[in-house]
Amino acid sequence: MLSRPKPGESEADLLRFQNQFLAARASPAVKVVKKADKRRGAGGSGDEERPPLQDSKDVVILEDFPDVLPALTPAPPKKSKFKNACVCFNDEDPEERLECQDRHITAVFSKIIERDTSTAAVTMPVPTGDPFPRAFHRSEIKNEVKVESGRKSIFAQKIAAKRAAEEAVTAPPAVETRRTHGRLAVSGAMCSPGSAEEEPLHSTKDGKPDDGVSTQQPHIITGEGLGSLESEREALAIHEENLQKLHSMTQEEILQEQRRLLVQLDPSLVAFLKSRHGVDEGQERREKPGPPEPGTESQHGAKETVKDFSVGGSGMEESVRTEKDTRMEITEVDLPIKPQKEWIHMNNVEFEKLEWIKDLPHPRQKRTKKRAGYSLQELFHLCRSQIIQQRTLALQVLGHVVQKAKAGEFASSLKGSVLRLLLDAGFLFLLRFSLDDTVDNVIAASVRALHALLVSPEDEEYLDQTFSWYQGMAVFPFTPNSEEEEEEEEEEEELTLMEKTPRKKSRDENKPDPDVARYDVIKGLLKTQFLHRLRYILEVVRPVPAVVLDILDILTRVARHSSEACSQLLACPRLIETIVREFLPIQWDPRVAEPGHLLTSLHGVACATAMKLIRVLASGGRNATARLLNKFELKSRLSRFIAEDPQDLPLCREEAIRLSTEAFRLWAVAAGYGQSCDLYRDLYPVLVKILQSLHHLLSDCQENPTFPLSIQRATAVVTLLTHVTQTAGCTAELQARLSSSGPGDGEQIPPPPVTWNQVSGLRPFLETSLRRSVQEISRLETWQALQPLTTTYIIYLGVYYSVCSQQPSLNPIDCLEEVERLTSEVLLPLLSQPAMHSMWDLLRPCSALCNPLSCSPAPESLPSIVSLSCTGGKPLMSLAGSKSPFPFLTALLFLINNVTHIHKGLVSKYTSVLDFKGLKDYLLQSWPTRPPSITPSSAWILRHEYHLQYFVLALAQKMAGTCPDYAQHASLHHCVAMALLSRLLPGSEHLAHELLLGLAFNPEFIPEGKTGGPEAADFSDILHLGTSTKLAQPGLVAAGFPKPRRGVLLGESYQHLPFIRACYLSLFVHLEPALARSQVAYQRRTYLVQSLLLPEVKGPILPSDWPFFPLISLYNKVTGAETRGAVLNSLPPDLVNTVTRNLQWVLLLETWRARVLQNISAAAKLARLMCVFLTGGDLFREGPVYCYTAALLALYCQPKVLDSLELDAPLPGLASFHDLYISVLEQFEGVSFGDPLFGVFVLLPLQRRFSVQLRLAVFGEHVSTLRALGVPLKQFPVPLERYTSPPEDNLNLLRQYFRTLVTGVLRHTWCPVLYAVAVAHVNSFIFSQDSTTQEADTARKSMLRKTWLLVDEVLKKHLLYYKVPNPESPMGIDLYEQLPPIRLKYLQMVTKKEPKENMQMSDPE
């Protein structure tokens, strides 16, 4: 075997190896083949067609190796630069086109045509006496040639002007004339877009071409190159031929031809023709000066029309026109500096080169040019200016515009919302971009404008005032209630809670910032690294104090948004550190407190606004509070600002009091979580000193200008002590749990570092202060100033006595004696004061329920920016106004309830509370009215009003079983309780649970059940000959139960109230998590409170139709099971009892508390009651269910209820009533067995005034129901007139009526109600002689003829002789004994045209 070549061997060795290989005749390792030529296609190599060449190359082929190298990247297809340069027509011959495009040298040389120059004008040089041509200066030649297309240098323009001047001198007249006529335009349909428009544009008013067109000369076809005598003649002949063709075409044909040419012509050719046309037109205009032609204006208008049809050259046309307009718009007037001819190289000004120095275009609109100021568009434009002053000015003005808009100053002069307009225009992100500016003034203006947009100082002021109210620290988050988010959440209802949270977070992260900001401005800003920029401004830029305060206010507003926003604030790097270090220092320069000292920087100085920001952040959650207290060392700062009296702080007096107040509020928030209570022991002497000084506030009431601030500080101190007392009350419970817990009980909550013995000594101080304050109630001004502080005293005592009763170390007898003493010495004398009567009388004028406009949104309220609508201040006579009695009376009722809870014997002493006329008037007016729509403003206000109503009802519940005279208030208080249950907002689940548990189903609050109410109901049915006596006696007998009277059913319902209550309480399990959180807050277990932010408000806790909730819940459960494939033919007894209890409760309310359900529409009630038939196959046939359903149906068939029935209105919880009705029809067909009660529910929606689609569904797809709708006429509770009047006008339904009658599908024995209805409508239709459409007229005459020819004489008589409906008649109708003359004459006229023997029964269609 031959060896392979090795390194180092020479060419001689390789040659020797080759000779050895050839001598051995061994087979080669590779094969030599002739590879096919790819250019000859796939037909083969082509060796058969040509002899092999001697120099053909050998090709080496390796096995498993592709012939063609793979492409590394997909290369783009090659484009020919010549492909689009040729114009191709559909009717051209390809061979002829190939010949025309042949560029071979033979083709070129064989077609050489010499140009005819015999007639070309020859210009001889001007003879001079100089040996050489004289040099000229460009200043000697005037510019007479204006170049319209393209740009030429000044030298080229001078040369052109010089040659034109020489030609004018030397050229003969004939040549000049011929040259003038040589300027020809493209003719007819071969013109460019601009020139093609000319031919159809020169027209008269009637659309015909103007005669002036024939005098025009061609502009493009010059005739040059032809013979000397034929050039002009041929060009004119072509031009006249084109004109004749254009005259014979209509305007539409011309435009259509133009569009076709524009698609086929090369755009560069179009542009060339347009440029030629523009140049020649300009030259003609200069040669023929004068007024414009009459057709110029019409040409311009027509060009606009033609422009719309341009396809290929529209973009180029616009670019050429724009470039031309740009060159023409600059003039000497526009230049800020007027050029002088004496300046070098400026004797001929090139204005297009000086355009860049002209002023910016004036943006003011024409209609407001004479008005002062700027438009919003101009201000947005100035915000992007390169001049700092302009940017600053624009941002400042926009900030003032926002302030004025929020104040409502534009409401009377402008339509729409200014803020919405600004936000839609991108104002928010304009401010965000401006914050990134490097100029301090621009940053300050941006911050100020953002502050005006986001922050409402009045909102913060009122929130500070309500901080010390009952449950005032808990507020709703300022999160927009977006419809878009609600829709997306509805789509994700199938997801579990663990899946929803990350899905919602990722959805917001994936959305663009503007989309997020559209429904939530704060959330949109947070996505733009907004907090990082503010931190940089505070830390690095260090702006002036006003800007710092604005930034702190903005951050406070962000913290109020949600717990997530608070977390982002805490997570922003160095933001909280910077605020605490710079604006809450332990020490600072004392010179800031000197009078007249100008504070140039707020950095390094303690600031109350910064402390408020920390307090609002702490309200976001207990974890955030723990981080603030421990990580940022706020405990030491709390001690610093609390231990020192405000007058000793090196700050101005007002700022020092505010700082101390915010420090106490922050401590109160922390104590609300059971935190920082260890400071209580350290600062106990300070607190006692403050309590001892509270009585001095009375003497400082008049002369002290800081008295309102001092009152706020005092209320914050008492609020702090209230929460510390709550926390101390939990110590014994937690200590007992810790002692009894074992190793397997898990981690236990440690007890707080404050005990009951440490706080119980505060009560004497505060009770003494309360006694002194109450003595000032007769002095109106002093009392109004002291009322907020007195309110906190009362709240403290209420909390104290509610907690002290739970302390194992307390002697119960001592507690009862203290309560008795408080009642006799403080509370009862207070209630007897005349001023108290005035306060109860102020409830109704200050109520938000009685005065819905008091909490209406502000004029510029936006859903994306939550506001409490306090701009401009609340009215004095409003719930949050200065004269409102609600905070004080709520606290007083809270204390009275706790006192009576401890000492039951004191309940009777407080009966006078419920006897106040002002309270009764307020309750009478507040419960029936529809509450205001749920907005952030109304939710904040209504929550406090609902607290007062709840405590009134809680006190009434205590009196119901002990006071014999209470029965007179029972019905009123029950109505108030039922209305309050439908109004309570999220966060008040504990109150709703207490109302359901102890008051809503309490027999004491339904005195009608034991004072003749059932008998009165029976007597009412007898007097009205009520519809309830008509219902379904045969069906009830079939069900095996005798028909009970309504009074019997009511009495049974009254006796079953405890079971009804248990049924409703068991079905509200979905509220258990929210109920647990609410109970923690209201029961004052501070160690379990997670956040002082309430849940988001999207509506009340319970829906308005909550009395139907068990039935709805059961229906949803059954339909859900059927959706999964399960079939429920029967229901277990407990579910039957659930439906029965639900129907009992609804019947009781409809009879004795009908106004409580007035907010539920009659259609909604009917839809809920239909769930009885849709839930399970035979549920409605159960005896109790059947009886109560029939009783309710009788109430819903009363005339006033039927008049209010609107089935076309949207119903809560239903996509449409039509879909529900189709389900009822299907259920009726399947399981009704002709039940008359079920049949009434099917017939109710078929009244004439309701949608025709419901009737078409019965007589169309569900026509089989007519066989089972056997409701007797005498038992049908609805008058037939509601079905027969007015006459039916739907032709399709009339045809269905007629078809079912004549085919026997609808018979009197099967469906007497609809039989009478169909006969009435068909009779009215066939004898109607009103003018109508041809189709309707033909149909009614056809029906009349077929009716005349009916074999069924009974039906024929009914259809012809029908008179009026009559439920007392066996057939349900009254008949004429003989037809009226008018009808008889019309019948003879219609039927005599066709012989009777040829008439056959057929479809009326």
Side-chain angles (χ1 to χ4, degrees), residues 42-54:
S45 62
D47 293 340
E48 298 82 5
E49 300 177 6
R50 63 175 182 176
L53 300 177
Q54 295 179 358

Side-chain angles (χ1 to χ4, degrees), residues 942-1233:
L942 291 174
R943 178 172 176 266
H944 294 289
E945 184 166 357
Y946 295 157
H947 284 156
L948 181 137
Q949 291 189 354
Y950 170 76
F951 288 128
V952 170
L953 296 175
L955 183 60
Q957 181 183 349
K958 294 181 178 66
M959 294 182 180
T962 58
C963 301
D965 297 335
Y966 172 74
Q968 58 179 332
H969 307 295
S971 297
L972 171 62
H973 292 160
H974 189 254
C975 292
V976 174
M978 296 299 297
L980 185 59
L981 274 172
S982 301
R983 296 172 177 176
L984 286 174
L985 300 174
S988 301
E989 289 82 4
H990 170 68
L991 306 184
H993 183 265
E994 291 296 317
L995 290 177
L996 288 173
L997 189 63
L999 201 146
F1001 305 99
N1002 192 337
E1004 297 293 337
F1005 289 90
I1006 310 177
E1008 295 86 351
K1010 53 185 177 181
T1011 58
E1015 293 79 4
D1018 288 340
F1019 186 65
S1020 174
D1021 292 342
I1022 294 174
L1023 286 180
H1024 292 83
L1025 296 177
T1027 54
S1028 59
T1029 60
K1030 288 187 174 184
L1031 281 178
Q1033 182 69 27
L1036 291 173
V1037 173
F1041 292 91
K1043 174 173 174 53
R1045 299 187 308 273
R1046 183 159 62 113
V1048 176
L1049 298 177
L1050 287 172
E1052 183 181 359
S1053 302
Y1054 184 79
Q1055 296 297 326
H1056 291 168
L1057 279 175
F1059 304 106
I1060 296 174
R1061 179 184 64 181
C1063 170
Y1064 276 84
L1065 288 176
S1066 64
L1067 289 173
F1068 286 100
V1069 292
H1070 68 285
L1071 295 176
E1072 286 185 356
L1075 175 61
R1077 291 193 298 268
S1078 179
Q1079 287 176 340
V1080 165
Y1082 282 97
Q1083 295 176 356
R1084 294 165 292 282
R1085 288 181 285 175
T1086 57
Y1087 61 92
L1088 294 177
V1089 176
Q1090 297 299 319
S1091 175
L1092 293 180
L1093 287 180
L1094 297 170
E1096 296 182 23
V1097 181
K1098 296 184 178 179
I1101 300 172
L1102 301 179
S1104 61
D1105 59 348
W1106 70 267
F1108 294 91
F1109 183 76
L1111 184 57
I1112 297 173
S1113 177
L1114 183 59
Y1115 167 73
N1116 293 333
K1117 184 184 300 184
V1118 171
T1119 54
E1122 292 177 351
T1123 303
R1124 293 189 296 269
V1127 179
L1128 300 179
N1129 294 323
S1130 62
L1131 297 175
D1134 57 335
L1135 296 183
V1136 175
N1137 291 334
T1138 298
V1139 176
T1140 303
R1141 303 294 180 240
N1142 192 170
L1143 296 176
Q1144 287 176 336
W1145 179 239
V1146 174
L1147 178 63
L1148 190 147
L1149 293 178
E1150 289 286 3
T1151 305
W1152 293 331
R1153 299 289 184 267
R1155 294 184 65 187
V1156 170
L1157 302 178
Q1158 64 183 356
N1159 291 332
I1160 309 175
S1161 65
K1165 294 177 183 179
L1166 180 63
R1168 271 58 177 171
L1169 204 56
M1170 283 182 174
C1171 294
V1172 173
F1173 302 95
L1174 298 176
T1175 304
D1178 56 353
L1179 173 64
F1180 72 97
R1181 302 187 66 82
E1182 298 289 339
V1185 175
Y1186 199 97
C1187 293
Y1188 284 101
T1189 303
L1192 286 172
L1193 181 61
L1195 295 177
Y1196 296 155
C1197 289
Q1198 293 178 356
K1200 61 179 181 179
V1201 180
L1202 291 176
D1203 293 339
S1204 64
L1205 191 61
E1206 295 291 342
L1207 301 182
D1208 296 333
L1211 301 177
L1214 285 179
S1216 68
F1217 185 84
H1218 180 270
D1219 296 341
L1220 177 68
Y1221 186 69
I1222 295 301
S1223 302
V1224 171
L1225 288 178
E1226 295 173 351
Q1227 189 78 354
F1228 181 82
E1229 292 173 340
V1231 301
S1232 69
F1233 298 102

Side-chain angles (χ1 to χ4, degrees), residues 20-332:
Q20 293 177 1
F21 173 76
L22 295 176
R25 297 182 180 274
S27 59
V30 297
K31 181 181 180 181
V32 179
V33 297
K34 302 295 185 180
K35 189 173 182 181
D37 190 357
K38 294 180 180 179
R39 293 173 297 179
R40 301 190 63 85
S45 62
D47 293 340
E48 298 82 5
E49 300 177 6
R50 63 175 182 176
L53 300 177
Q54 295 179 358
D55 58 350
S56 60
K57 299 181 180 179
D58 294 339
V59 180
V60 178
I61 297 180
L62 301 178
E63 296 181 359
D64 299 331
F65 197 82
D67 296 339
V68 182
L69 292 177
L72 297 180
T73 57
K78 294 183 64 177
K79 296 182 179 180
S80 174
K81 64 169 61 176
F82 306 104
K83 180 178 180 180
N84 296 329
C86 303
V87 180
C88 302
F89 296 93
N90 296 330
D91 54 352
E92 283 186 350
D93 185 5
E95 182 177 357
E96 181 180 353
R97 190 175 64 195
L98 182 61
E99 291 294 334
C100 296
Q101 296 179 0
D102 191 0
R103 295 294 184 267
H104 195 263
I105 188 172
T106 57
V108 175
F109 282 162
S110 62
K111 297 180 180 179
I112 296 178
I113 301 176
E114 294 185 3
R115 181 174 181 178
D116 186 6
T117 59
S118 59
T119 59
V122 179
T123 303
M124 299 299 294
V126 179
T128 61
D130 301 329
F132 296 98
R134 183 175 62 86
F136 65 93
H137 192 272
R138 62 188 181 96
S139 61
E140 301 176 0
I141 304 175
K142 297 181 180 180
N143 287 336
E144 296 180 356
V145 178
K146 298 294 183 182
V147 181
E148 297 293 339
S149 61
R151 297 187 178 183
K152 290 186 178 181
S153 64
I154 296 178
F155 180 77
Q157 295 178 20
K158 294 295 183 179
I159 293 297
K162 179 176 180 296
R163 290 179 177 175
E166 293 177 351
E167 291 178 358
V169 175
T170 59
V175 176
E176 180 64 27
T177 303
R178 189 162 50 248
R179 180 175 295 276
T180 301
H181 289 286
R183 293 193 298 267
L184 304 177
V186 66
S187 57
M190 296 298 295
C191 60
S192 65
S195 58
E197 293 166 2
E198 289 184 359
E199 301 301 341
L201 298 181
H202 289 277
S203 59
T204 59
K205 294 182 180 180
D206 56 359
K208 296 182 180 181
D210 191 3
D211 294 339
V213 178
S214 61
T215 62
Q216 293 182 355
Q217 301 297 327
H219 294 273
I220 299 300
I221 302 177
T222 60
E224 297 183 3
L226 301 177
S228 59
L229 297 178
E230 301 294 332
S231 59
E232 184 177 353
R233 186 183 307 164
E234 290 295 331
L236 291 176
I238 295 174
H239 181 56
E240 291 177 356
E241 181 181 353
N242 291 335
L243 290 178
Q244 293 178 0
K245 186 174 183 180
L246 285 175
H247 279 292
S248 62
M249 299 172 64
T250 63
Q251 184 77 11
E252 291 76 10
E253 293 175 347
I254 294 175
L255 294 177
Q256 182 179 1
E257 187 69 18
Q258 182 191 44
R259 288 194 297 269
R260 187 181 69 84
L261 289 176
L262 289 177
V263 173
Q264 296 175 343
L265 289 175
D266 184 17
S268 60
L269 178 59
V270 175
F272 168 73
L273 296 176
K274 288 176 57 180
S275 62
R276 287 293 303 271
H277 172 68
V279 172
D280 295 339
E281 192 179 49
Q283 291 178 355
E284 290 183 358
R285 192 178 295 112
R286 288 193 300 273
E287 292 175 1
K288 298 180 179 180
E293 297 181 1
T296 305
E297 184 176 356
S298 62
Q299 290 177 14
H300 177 72
K303 285 185 179 180
E304 295 297 325
T305 304
V306 175
K307 174 185 173 183
D308 297 338
F309 293 95
S310 61
V311 179
S314 61
M316 184 170 296
E317 180 179 353
E318 284 296 321
S319 63
V320 173
R321 185 174 303 170
T322 303
E323 182 181 356
K324 180 176 180 180
D325 295 342
T326 303
R327 292 197 306 268
M328 296 297 292
E329 67 178 356
I330 179 66
T331 61
E332 184 176 352

Side-chain angles (χ1 to χ4, degrees), residues 1345-1362:
R1345 297 189 192 101
K1346 294 174 182 177
T1347 302
W1348 179 252
L1349 297 175
L1350 279 176
V1351 178
D1352 188 347
E1353 293 296 332
V1354 176
L1355 178 61
K1356 177 180 178 180
K1357 184 177 181 180
H1358 290 168
L1359 290 177
L1360 293 179
Y1361 288 86
Y1362 166 82

